[in-house]
């Protein structure tokens, strides 16, 4: 499951119509949902509450292998309701991002979010602040502070990031205060709309006719070919550090299928850093109902070292004894739909059970109006009628490392179970086993 701060930030971006996938720093985000998950490695419990519409708090306690905890607070200019979110929104899952577009945001709004987390007993403080500067730009400031003089192992740090999204391209400027690292990146999107789209639209308006403009990646002959139909994104980054007296450059190419087409959700990414000699290629796709897979190949041009990572993600649907009946948890009994509504109900349930690959649903969530409230926290009591019972993730590498994680629910509580194994160590193959429990105290209901 994603952590508290990440979920709130993702919800804030969705409510303010900001698409993080348009940035170069998130070029590999689709495959990272399958290959870069972090299972719990201890026994931990967390509790969150929302006493007001603009304020929320959370506390966590880890019992094993050592006693530690944290306190977190959140303040936002957008209301935080008590609605129960679905399990799908609380787990970082593979999906196709929304099509890049220029944000349509009220210029008079200056929404902002402030988050702080205090770790105990170390008294380390994490903070995050984001503010919308204009409809196409925003500012993010994150920091890590230590009460004692910082050391090389635990340095204090502050990151300042300025992001801009113009629809057909997005740019990002960032600066790290600790080591003086500055970077600039851009990502351009190609193959989305035909260049004659505006001319066709204008002619259709003048002639009072409806003209359907085609994408340049659509089949002009309409022969029903099953090839992948998508668009490309090409970008690069330049970074330099005054303290380390080093610099570098990287470039990346991404292809992903379009949400509106019948092509299976697929994302391919290639990254190259010529100075360091780093080269990687990733492939991720949905191959069956609720089943997504991903692979990543990393290679160093100078040392000839390579690592291959394979991963899979399975959305476990809720079982039903009979396809003509379903279990209503509110009534605690089997319910048989009426003849007139049976077909519609079953179709709706079937579509909901495929939420992990319903890219149209993802696109609609991303383009929500700015007045849409934010679902509360990753420690939320989730919807009991969710058609997804849980998510099972697995990852293995050529370094003989295996990682497993299950994320699901137990009544109104979120449960995450993880296992990390190293087969190259015969004396201790199991490195860690973790269990995490999360729950939300809803607090006062909104007026």
């Amino acid at each position: 499951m994603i952590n508290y701060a990440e979920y709130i930030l993702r919800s804030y971006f969705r409510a303010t119509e900001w698409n993080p996938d348009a940035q170069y720093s998130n070029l590999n985000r689709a495959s990272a949902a399958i290959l870069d998950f972090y299972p719990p490695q201890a026994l931990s419990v967390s509790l969150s509450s929302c006493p007001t519409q603009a304020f929320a708090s959370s506390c966590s306690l880890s019992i094993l292998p050592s006693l530690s905890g944290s306190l977190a607070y959140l303040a936002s200019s957008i209301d935080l309701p008590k609605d129960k979110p679905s399990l799908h929104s609380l787990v970082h899952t593979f999906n196709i991002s929304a099509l890049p577009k220029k944000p349509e945001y009220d210029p008079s709004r200056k929404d902002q979010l402030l988050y702080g987390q205090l770790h105990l007993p170390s008294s380390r403080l994490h903070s995050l602040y984001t503010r919308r500067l204009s409809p196409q730009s925003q500012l993010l400031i994150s920091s890590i502070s230590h009460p004692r003089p910082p050391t090389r192992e635990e340095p204090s740090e502050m990151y300042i990031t300025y992001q801009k999204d113009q629809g057909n391209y997005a740019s990002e400027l960032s600066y790290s205060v600790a080591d003086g690292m500055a970077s600039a990146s851009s990502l351009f999107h190609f193959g989305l709309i035909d260049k004659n789209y505006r001319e066709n639209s204008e002619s259709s308006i003048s002639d009072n006719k409806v003209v359907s403009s085609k994408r340049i990646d659509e089949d002009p002959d309409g022969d029903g070919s099953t090839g992948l139909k998508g668009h490309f994104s090409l970008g690069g980054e330049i970074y330099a550090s005054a303290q380390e007296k080093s610099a570098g450059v990287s470039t990346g190419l991404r292809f992903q299928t379009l949400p509106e087409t019948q092509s299976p959700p697929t994302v391919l990414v290639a990254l190259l850093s010529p100075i360091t000699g780093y080269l990687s290629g990733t492939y991720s796709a949905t191959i069956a109902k609720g089943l997504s897979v991903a692979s990543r190949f990393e290679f160093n041009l100078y040392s000839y070292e390579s690592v291959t990572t394979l991963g899979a993600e399975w959305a476990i649907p809720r079982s039903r004894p009979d396809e003509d009946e379903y279990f209503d948890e509110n009534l605690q009994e089997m319910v048989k739909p009426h003849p007139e509504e049976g077909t519609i109900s079953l179709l709706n349930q079937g579509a909901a059970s495929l939420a992990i690959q319903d890219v149209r649903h993802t696109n609609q969530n991303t383009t929500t109006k700015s007045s849409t409230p934010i679902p509360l926290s990753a420690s939320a009591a989730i919807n009991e009628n969710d058609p997804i019972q849980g998510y099972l993730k697995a990852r293995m590498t050529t370094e003989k490392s295996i990682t497993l994680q299950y994320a699901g629910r137990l009544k109104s509580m979120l449960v995450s179970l993880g296992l990390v194994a190293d087969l190259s160590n015969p004396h201790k193959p199991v490195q860690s086993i973790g269990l995490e429990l999360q729950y939300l105290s809803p607090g006062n209901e909104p007026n």
Side-chain angles (χ1 to χ4, degrees), residues 134-379:
S134 69
Q136 287 79 42
S137 64
Q138 70 174 3
L139 178 68
L140 292 93
I141 301 176
S142 60
S143 64
I144 303 174
S145 177
H146 296 272
R148 58 181 182 275
T151 61
R152 181 177 296 272
E153 291 77 14
E154 295 182 344
S156 295
E157 182 61 282
M158 176 179 288
Y159 300 93
I160 304 174
T161 304
Y162 172 79
Q163 297 178 337
K164 193 171 185 179
D165 188 359
Q166 293 293 340
N168 58 344
Y169 79 94
S171 58
E172 185 177 41
L173 300 174
S174 62
Y175 179 73
S176 176
V177 177
D179 55 2
M181 176 73 74
S183 64
S185 63
S186 295
L187 185 64
F188 298 85
H189 309 287
F190 304 96
L192 291 176
I193 301 298
D194 191 351
K195 62 181 180 180
N196 297 324
Y197 170 77
R198 186 179 299 275
E199 298 177 0
N200 294 337
S201 300
E202 293 176 355
S203 62
S204 63
I205 295 175
S206 61
D207 298 337
N208 293 326
K209 298 179 180 179
V210 178
V211 178
S212 60
S213 58
K214 291 187 176 181
R215 299 182 183 276
I216 65 175
D217 42 34
E218 287 183 345
D219 183 12
D221 300 328
D223 57 357
S225 60
T226 58
L228 296 179
K229 299 178 181 180
H231 69 93
F232 288 89
S233 299
L234 176 64
E237 180 183 22
I238 300 176
Y239 54 91
S241 175
Q243 181 176 345
E244 301 292 339
K245 297 181 180 179
S246 61
V249 61
S250 67
T251 182
L253 176 66
R254 179 179 65 191
F255 169 82
Q256 69 177 30
T257 53
L258 297 172
E260 291 86 354
T261 64
Q262 298 299 323
S263 301
T266 305
V267 180
L268 296 93
V269 179
L271 289 173
L272 172 63
S273 181
I275 296 180
T276 60
Y278 176 79
L279 174 66
S280 73
T282 60
Y283 167 80
S284 53
T286 298
I287 61 174
K289 294 182 179 180
L291 179 61
S292 301
V293 296
S295 62
R296 178 173 59 208
F297 176 73
E298 300 173 278
F299 181 74
N300 191 283
L301 300 175
Y302 301 141
S303 63
Y304 300 106
E305 295 180 353
S306 64
V307 177
T308 301
T309 306
L310 303 176
E313 175 185 86
W314 178 35
I316 305 174
R318 300 182 63 183
S319 60
R320 298 185 179 92
D322 188 84
E323 63 180 3
D324 295 331
E325 297 180 337
Y326 64 95
F327 185 75
D328 192 326
E329 291 195 354
N330 295 326
L331 300 178
Q332 294 295 321
E333 63 181 1
M334 298 303 301
V335 179
K336 193 177 186 65
H338 295 288
E340 299 179 354
E341 301 177 354
T343 304
I344 298 178
S345 300
L346 291 175
L347 287 177
N348 290 340
Q349 294 172 25
S353 66
L354 302 180
I356 188 168
Q357 59 184 15
D358 188 353
V359 293
R360 291 193 181 94
H361 177 71
T362 303
N363 187 29
Q364 294 174 0
N365 288 346
T366 310
T367 58
T368 306
K369 298 301 180 182
S370 58
S371 59
T372 302
I374 302 177
L376 186 53
S377 74
S379 303

Side-chain angles (χ1 to χ4, degrees), residues 12 16 54 75-79 105 109-114:
Y12 173 83
T16 56
S76 173
S77 60
I78 298 180
D79 292 342
Y105 184 75
R109 296 177 60 91
K110 301 294 182 181
D111 289 318
Q112 55 186 345
L113 180 145
L114 179 62

